[in-house]
Amino acid sequence: MDALVLKSDDGHRLLARCRRTQNSRDLDQSINHFERASDLCPMDCPYRPAALLNLANAKYISGQADGRHLDLDIPVNLFQDALDLRPADHPD
């Protein structure tokens, strides 16, 4: 659990810095941290949807930054996977 929190926090910190500095290396590192965080979550982990949403957001931002606006398959699939893992009555 601690590694998941650390990877997620590092990913958010790098993503925020990327937004401030427009440094694509920070964005790439953010994606790597979010990928590691999602890898730490088995399919039945209650934090897996949040980990997938973080990764999907970073991948979407990466597509915008690279000018690949039409390359939405990966983030859309990650968003869908995250939604599919949420119970129907979940408040989010």
Side-chain angles (χ1 to χ4, degrees), residues 5-15 29-30 33-34:
V5 171
L6 290 174
K7 290 294 180 189
S8 295
D9 286 349
D10 287 344
H12 284 292
R13 180 182 51 79
L14 288 160
L15 188 57
Q29 288 181 344
S30 173
H33 282 286
F34 289 139

Side-chain angles (χ1 to χ4, degrees), residues 18 23-33 35 62 66:
C18 170
N23 185 340
S24 63
R25 182 169 158 79
D26 288 337
L27 180 56
D28 293 341
Q29 288 181 344
S30 173
I31 289 170
N32 287 336
H33 282 286
E35 285 174 339
S62 176
D66 291 346

Side-chain angles (χ1 to χ4, degrees), residues 4 9-10 20 24 30 32 38 46 51-52 56 61 64 66-67 82 89:
L4 172 62
D9 286 349
D10 287 344
R20 282 191 319 273
S24 63
S30 173
N32 287 336
S38 68
L52 291 175
I61 292 166
Q64 288 180 321
D66 291 346
D89 60 346

